[in-house]
Amino acid sequence: VPIEHVRAAITRELGRPPELAFAAFDPVPLASASIGQVHAAVLHDGAAVVVKVRRPGVVEEVERDLEILGGIARWIEVHTAAGRDYEFMPIVDEFARAIHDELDYRREGQNADQLRRFFVGDPGVRIPRVIWSHTTESVLTLERVGGIKISDLAAIDRAGIPRRAIAENAVRIFL
């Protein structure tokens, strides 16, 4: 997403441009995905954060896609044997609910807070803290945490972290 769009979204959502909302804001994104783009920033208290900004027009695009998906599901239910045997609209409705939750970064922040509370005191899990003063429906600001990618086996070995411990921890957290 061009930085002008990111700047405009932050200004609209936080009531001030990135250079005032943050002590520092990197215009070059760290990551980009279908719904949003992530930038590094620093709060005025010196804390390193990441700022996830929803792409412009993505809500409208998702709504159009859901309408098309619903039309296809209704057609299948009326015109095919599989549609008469299985209910496709409830699947589309559940998908729509899930995607709407993903579009609202406040919900994502609430989920992160809930996970952090669940794992409080567990040294094997670190959930970034949500910076609620800088979070809205379309801007999510999180504490920036470092780490090693699970796919970077050489770095894991250099850090002296047993691979088996990583696997066991991942399974324990998942379960």
Side-chain angles (χ1 to χ4, degrees), residues 2 6 20 28 41 84 136 143 145 150 152 157 162 173:
V6 171
L20 295 179
V28 178
R84 287 185 285 281
T136 68
E143 163 189 30
V145 295
I150 198 165
D152 191 347
D157 292 342
I173 292 166

Side-chain angles (χ1 to χ4, degrees), residues 105-135:
Y105 288 162
R106 294 170 301 194
R107 172 72 84 189
E108 186 174 334
Q110 291 165 347
N111 290 339
D113 277 351
Q114 184 176 357
L115 270 177
R116 194 175 53 264
R117 283 190 299 272
F118 184 76
F119 286 107
V120 74
D122 185 330
V125 180
R126 176 73 188 275
I127 308 294
R129 185 174 54 89
V130 178
I131 312 304
W132 286 107
S133 61
H134 290 67
T135 295

Side-chain angles (χ1 to χ4, degrees), residues 14-27:
L14 302 183
R16 54 202 185 281
E19 57 272 8
L20 295 179
F22 302 96
F25 184 86
D26 190 347

Side-chain angles (χ1 to χ4, degrees), residues 25-46:
F25 184 86
D26 190 347
V28 178
L30 290 171
S32 187
S34 58
I35 293 175
Q37 184 165 288
V38 179
H39 291 263
V42 177
L43 296 177
H44 290 290
D45 67 4

